[in-house]
Amino acid sequence: MAAERKPFPWGAGILLLLATVAAVAAGAVISSSRNDAWYSALSKPALTPPDYLFSLVWPVLFVLMAAGALMVLERAGTFERAVSPLGIYYTMLAVNAFWSLAFFGMQDTALALGVIAALWLLIIAMIQDFARFSRPAALLQFPYLIWVSFAIYLNLSILAMNSDS
C-alpha cells in the first residue's frame, strides 16, 4: 500500500511567499538609490552590467529561489520537517536585503563585501540542505549562486577602485 500523501502546508507556503516578496521589496526600495549621485560617481569595473539588467535578473532569481523553497516545503509536508533548509532560506532573504542596505543605504562597500560573502556561504548551505529534500529544488538555486558570485566580483572591484589608499 502506498504511503498517504500529506496535503500541502498552505499556511507555511503563503508565509514563505510573503517573506520572499518582502525581501524583494526591501531590496528594490533600498537599491532604487542606484541612480543617486553616490552610486553614479563610483568607479566601476568594465564588466558592470547596465542598471536595467539588475531589474530583470533579480525577479527571475527570486522566483527560482521561492520555487525551490516551496518544493522543499511540499516534499517535507510540514514546516517543522523542513525547518533547517527553510531556516537557511529565511536567513538568506534577510542577509540579501541587508546587503542592499549596506551597499546602497549605508554606502559601505567594505561592509557590503562581508555581507555578500556571508550570503554566498548561506546559498551554498541552502543548496546542500535543499538537496536533502529535492535535487531539483537545489538545482534551481545555482543561477542565484552564480549571480551572487558575480556580484562579489563587482562589490570587490568597486571597493578596490574607490578606496582612498
Side-chain angles (χ1 to χ4, degrees):
M1 180 187 287
E4 187 174 323
R5 187 166 179 93
K6 293 183 179 183
F8 183 81
W10 287 103
I14 290 168
L15 288 175
L16 187 146
L17 291 175
L18 289 174
T20 304
V21 169
V24 170
V29 167
I30 295 165
S31 66
S32 67
S33 66
R34 175 183 319 247
N35 298 321
D36 74 8
W38 173 79
Y39 182 76
S40 297
L42 289 173
S43 297
K44 298 174 199 75
L47 293 178
T48 301
D51 287 346
Y52 74 86
L53 189 61
F54 292 95
S55 60
L56 296 174
V57 169
W58 277 111
V60 171
L61 294 176
F62 274 103
V63 166
L64 294 174
M65 291 185 293
L70 288 169
M71 290 167 74
V72 167
L73 180 60
E74 190 275 331
R75 182 68 57 95
T78 66
F79 178 82
E80 292 76 17
R81 291 194 55 217
V83 72
S84 176
L86 295 181
I88 295 170
Y89 179 79
Y90 286 120
T91 303
M92 177 276 307
L93 289 176
V95 172
N96 187 304
F98 185 65
W99 179 87
S100 295
L101 179 63
F103 190 90
F104 292 106
M106 300 164 69
Q107 300 176 355
D108 189 336
T109 56
L111 174 61
L113 183 60
V115 172
I116 202 167
L119 179 60
W120 191 88
L121 293 172
L122 280 167
I123 296 166
I124 294 292
M126 184 174 67
I127 288 170
Q128 291 173 338
D129 238 12
F130 275 23
R132 292 186 312 114
F133 289 86
S134 167
R135 182 171 167 82
L139 292 174
L140 286 176
Q141 308 314 304
F142 278 94
Y144 181 41
L145 179 66
I146 292 165
W147 184 257
V148 169
S149 298
F150 179 64
I152 289 171
Y153 152 76
L154 293 174
N155 194 150
L156 180 60
S157 297
I158 289 170
L159 176 61
M161 296 171 78
N162 294 280
S163 60
D164 300 330
S165 31

